[in-house]
Amino acid sequence: MEKVLERKMSRRMNMRLLVNSVAKYIFLLATLFGLVVLSVLIYRVFSEGFGWLNFDFITGKLSTQPERAGIMGAILGTFWLMLVVAPVTMFLGVGTAIYLELYAKKGRLQGFIQTNISNLAGVPSIVYGILGLTVFARAMNFGNIVLAGGLTMSLLILPIVIVASQEAIRAVPNPLSEASYGMGATKWQTIKEIILPVALPGILTGAILSLSRAIGETAPLVVIGIPALLIPFPGGILDKFTVLPMQIYYWTLDSSLTAEYANLAAATIIVLLVALLLLNTTAIIIRNKFQQKH
Amino acid sequence: MKLKKYLLFLAIAALAAVIAACGAEPKANNDEQSKGNNEESKSNNEESKDNSNSEKLEGSVVIDGSGTVYPLMARIAEEYMINEQENVSVEVSRAGTSAGFKKFLVKDGTDFNDASRQIKDEEAAEAKDLGIEVKELKVALDGLTFVINKENDWAKEMTPEQLISIFKADSGVKKWSDLDPSWPDEEIKPMGPNENHGTYEFFYETILEKQDLVDTVNLQQDYSTLVNLVAEDVNGIAFFGFGYYVNNKDKLEAVHVDFGSGAVEPSLDTISEDGDYAQFTRPVFTYLNVQHATEKPQVLDYAIYLMHNINNFAGETGFAPIPDEEVKEGVEYLDGLKN
């Protein structure tokens, strides 16, 4: 009797072990798939673009002739765009998060706003482009200048910044603010002196990550209408501009006419990847540095 | 304390933005000047007119329209900025012929619209309603080229009738053997650019004479997709502008067309005005807003430069030059706008 049971048990045990190891390999494959695709992509981009990457390419003006084309205009365009996007999203995003987390009464309305912000985070970027075209480019008559593009991009990443800031504010330990109230501080004093400094690393991490999304976004700018050939460098937020991903898009589009454009696009992708990597590294450093303090 | 530091940082960033905005103002005025929409800009215009003797111009010239004509126009715009007027910004976009006309036919619209077909009656009527005087400038000639796979060794020469029957609905031609019994018994895969392209409209209206296309035709938005599709399919055949063929000669073969006096290979010589390929050749244009040209000296100056140099750059971008008389006619018209 006992022997029969033991045999039964060992058979089930084997089966379970088999399932376990099969599952392990399936998940390993799933992980590898992403890695393989990524490495193929990086290999292709580097093999096509690295030879074209030099000082003249980075500092040069845009041109229809591949051998003298440069992307300084697009780099400056990206810079000015960020100079609009960063302050606008930080102010509006953190402001909204503070209101929703610390001032708004928990109730129907707050829930409604919260749901809509989460929904907005999932709206495709081209829809924001159409919004930007209608409101900033046409109704406010900005046209296709940095300010119009920057405000559109701000709307695009605002939901992400709000949600990240809310998370960061919520993660501030309650006893800290209670102690502050206990000392007789007002709400604003508590927010300014206690909650925001503690939440700041989380807020900054979210903001920088969403900025790197804005840097790589193309669709909203296609809708606003960025010229394919724009040679003068943008000198400020009221100038017309182009950005790195737009240049990649246009060069890829014309690579069947001029084969070297594919190399220029690849070289631009490398520059864009390096910029994104720098931003994301900054985000991680900020997070690690401040996490140790609290 | 930490928070203060960050607020300071943000404040500095904001300040930098404001300073940049101020620094940019003179340029912004130029943009407004190009729109020509307020009092201040008008006085600016007068100033620049006085300056036009010294030939130093500034401001912007805004061009949109056909993606087919874009390489030619971008090439000339760049030459103009390098060699003629480095303070003028010529901006070239490529929304497509029809989409470009929508930006051209509005108040304070674009200065030029490139077009791979002629302006339509309803577009001309709209211009009239808006009081926009439009001048058509023929800039180059483009040969509609039919391309096949490199390994296709049977259909290298065809008549216009055969080509039309491949693309026309209800022609009864589905396989190569339907065209010639000695050709393979395999299905033809017709392809072309989609309805957004002036090239499609030219093919449909002029070559097919508005008869429906066969419903198996594969219409694509991007020319690079068409190039790859035909390069990979031995039964593929596609049509597009000569420039896309000439830059992909290593991947594609052009069909030599027999218009009645022997097969003709499309080339810069044969697609010219009276060339042997002329039956499949179409002119491409740019349309000028005449008011903008008279109000803004940089627009007129660029238009004249464009007509003077158009034939120098046509060949390298895959277009055939227009006859010299037509260049002269264009230049004379534009010179007449000077005052």
Side-chain angles (χ1 to χ4, degrees):
Chain A
M1 189 67 192
E2 257 185 22
K3 265 211 164 145
V4 174
L5 200 71
E6 208 170 90
R7 213 181 297 146
K8 231 181 178 175
M9 228 173 83
S10 84
R11 216 188 306 140
R12 279 181 60 188
M13 199 62 201
N14 283 340
M15 193 60 202
R16 286 167 63 187
L17 285 173
L18 184 72
V19 170
N20 185 41
S21 58
V22 168
K24 180 183 137 190
Y25 283 107
I26 288 179
F27 294 133
L28 179 68
L29 272 181
T31 315
L32 282 182
F33 181 77
L35 281 179
V36 167
V37 172
L38 182 68
S39 48
V40 168
L41 184 81
I42 289 183
Y43 170 75
R44 277 211 56 178
V45 165
F46 271 80
S47 64
E48 273 188 29
F50 199 72
W52 289 74
L53 204 57
N54 54 40
F55 185 73
D56 286 340
F57 177 71
I58 290 174
T59 56
K61 286 184 170 180
L62 192 59
S63 167
T64 55
Q65 306 303 99
E67 58 277 5
R68 62 167 191 239
I71 52 166
M72 199 58 205
I75 292 175
L76 285 171
T78 301
F79 171 76
W80 289 118
L81 191 73
M82 288 307 111
L83 221 53
V84 174
V85 175
V88 171
T89 40
M90 277 301 271
F91 182 74
L92 291 181
V94 177
T96 311
I98 290 175
Y99 176 77
L100 284 178
E101 282 304 312
L102 303 169
Y103 285 99
K105 286 202 185 84
K106 304 272 181 266
R108 278 252 174 94
L109 184 68
Q110 199 251 4
F112 179 74
I113 295 175
Q114 190 66 55
T115 314
N116 275 304
I117 289 174
S118 306
N119 277 340
L120 278 178
V123 171
S125 53
I126 195 150
V127 177
Y128 284 101
I130 293 167
L131 181 74
L133 178 73
T134 323
V135 178
F136 303 123
R138 298 246 172 95
M140 295 168 84
N141 210 7
F142 286 160
N144 48 1
I145 60 170
V146 178
L147 188 60
L151 291 175
T152 310
M153 285 294 188
S154 303
L155 290 183
L156 173 74
I157 61 170
L158 201 50
I160 313 171
V161 175
I162 293 174
V163 172
S165 308
Q166 278 184 298
E167 298 284 339
I169 290 172
R170 229 176 283 153
V172 175
N174 247 345
L176 285 181
S177 43
E178 272 159 18
S180 165
Y181 289 132
M183 307 270 283
T186 63
K187 194 156 197 170
W188 171 235
Q189 281 175 323
T190 308
I191 292 173
K192 197 175 61 157
E193 302 294 337
I194 308 292
I195 298 180
L196 276 188
V198 177
L200 203 62
I203 293 174
L204 282 179
T205 311
I208 292 175
L209 290 181
S210 52
L211 272 191
S212 57
R213 176 168 177 209
I215 283 187
E217 216 26 273
T218 323
L221 298 179
V222 171
V223 179
I224 288 178
I226 303 298
L229 180 80
L230 181 72
I231 292 183
F233 294 154
I237 61 169
L238 296 177
D239 282 356
K240 298 195 180 187
F241 72 115
T242 184
V243 292
L244 293 168
M246 283 306 294
Q247 213 43 59
I248 296 170
Y249 170 70
Y250 283 130
W251 271 331
T252 311
L253 210 59
D254 271 343
S255 59
S256 60
L257 275 178
T258 309
E260 290 87 353
Y261 284 172
N263 302 97
L264 295 180
T268 315
I269 291 172
I270 297 175
V271 173
L272 186 59
L273 283 180
V274 169
L276 291 178
L277 215 61
L278 282 178
L279 267 183
N280 290 358
T281 316
T282 321
I284 292 170
I285 289 173
I286 290 176
R287 195 175 57 205
N288 290 350
K289 198 176 168 198
F290 288 88
Q291 249 168 8
Q292 290 154 3
K293 287 203 170 164
H294 299 282
Chain B
M1 280 319 276
K2 269 271 149 23
L3 179 65
K4 265 187 192 153
K5 260 189 199 165
Y6 280 104
L7 286 178
L8 194 69
F9 171 74
L10 280 184
I12 290 170
L15 196 69
V18 170
I19 291 169
C22 297
E25 246 161 37
K27 273 199 173 171
N29 276 346
N30 290 341
D31 280 349
E32 275 165 23
Q33 181 184 348
S34 74
K35 286 177 188 159
N37 56 359
N38 63 20
E39 295 292 316
E40 194 186 359
S41 75
K42 264 180 199 148
S43 62
N44 275 355
N45 275 335
E46 273 151 29
E47 277 168 33
S48 350
K49 229 170 239 170
D50 296 339
N51 289 345
S52 68
N53 297 331
S54 58
E55 293 285 324
K56 271 272 175 206
L57 299 172
E58 50 183 32
S60 61
V61 178
V62 184
I63 305 173
D64 206 329
S66 166
T68 308
V69 195
Y70 168 80
L72 174 61
M73 301 311 257
R75 184 80 184 80
I76 298 176
E78 187 184 348
E79 284 304 314
Y80 178 75
M81 282 184 268
I82 292 174
N83 298 327
E84 294 289 317
Q85 297 286 349
E86 53 178 353
N87 292 324
V88 173
S89 171
V90 184
E91 300 157 16
V92 194
S93 302
R94 43 181 308 167
T97 302
S98 301
F101 269 123
K102 290 203 179 99
K103 293 189 186 173
F104 182 70
L105 297 172
V106 287
K107 196 172 171 289
D108 303 324
T110 51
D111 301 319
F112 290 88
N113 190 53
D114 303 335
S116 59
R117 58 162 170 81
Q118 238 165 339
I119 190 168
K120 286 180 182 166
D121 291 343
E122 58 259 37
E123 287 161 346
E126 208 183 326
K128 216 173 174 187
D129 285 347
L130 289 162
I132 297 175
E133 194 187 329
V134 177
K135 170 67 182 172
E136 175 184 291
L137 298 166
K138 193 195 272 190
V139 289
L141 298 168
D142 186 17
L144 190 75
T145 306
F146 291 84
V147 292
I148 53 175
N149 190 281
K150 281 256 173 200
E151 280 164 35
N152 181 335
D153 55 4
W154 56 89
K156 287 184 165 176
E157 292 179 7
M158 280 196 253
T159 62
E161 293 73 31
Q162 282 176 318
L163 286 167
I164 288 167
S165 67
I166 288 175
F167 285 92
K168 197 179 75 173
D170 307 322
S171 65
V173 175
K174 286 216 160 63
K175 297 176 172 175
W176 295 106
S177 54
D178 295 336
L179 289 168
D180 188 324
S182 64
W183 290 358
D185 185 26
E186 284 175 59
E187 220 165 288
I188 309 173
K189 307 262 179 61
M191 311 170 203
N194 66 16
E195 295 87 341
N196 293 344
H197 294 271
T199 308
Y200 170 90
E201 291 180 55
F202 171 75
F203 181 71
Y204 172 69
E205 281 168 16
T206 311
I207 309 284
L208 287 187
E209 293 168 331
K210 297 198 179 181
Q211 306 174 84
D212 284 339
L213 266 79
V214 62
D215 49 17
T216 54
V217 69
N218 180 356
L219 299 178
Q220 291 287 338
Q221 170 68 25
D222 289 336
Y223 288 107
S224 52
T225 319
L226 284 174
V227 169
N228 291 333
L229 283 173
V230 177
E232 281 156 19
D233 192 340
V234 72
N235 290 313
I237 178 165
F239 63 90
F240 43 58
F242 178 71
Y244 285 92
Y245 158 67
V246 89
N247 285 296
N248 292 285
K249 262 185 168 171
D250 51 331
K251 296 183 201 152
L252 305 169
E253 198 80 43
V255 175
H256 298 198
V257 185
D258 186 349
F259 294 102
S261 46
V264 183
E265 182 188 0
S267 70
L268 286 181
D269 286 334
T270 55
I271 66 173
S272 60
E273 182 81 350
D274 295 314
D276 295 332
Y277 201 81
Q279 206 174 319
F280 278 179
T281 294
R282 58 172 172 165
V284 293
F285 307 93
T286 190
Y287 287 86
L288 168 68
N289 183 322
V290 177
Q291 279 98 342
H292 287 190
T294 49
E295 284 163 12
K296 295 183 271 181
Q298 75 272 23
V299 173
L300 183 59
D301 190 60
Y302 178 68
I304 292 170
Y305 179 85
L306 176 76
M307 287 317 286
H308 272 301
N309 291 278
I310 197 82
N311 281 349
N312 301 341
F313 294 103
E316 66 176 88
T317 45
F319 293 94
I322 54 172
D324 287 338
E325 309 87 72
E326 291 188 25
V327 173
K328 226 173 128 189
E329 230 172 84
V331 171
E332 271 167 17
Y333 170 83
L334 293 168
D335 279 336
L337 294 178
K338 277 189 186 167
N339 44 6

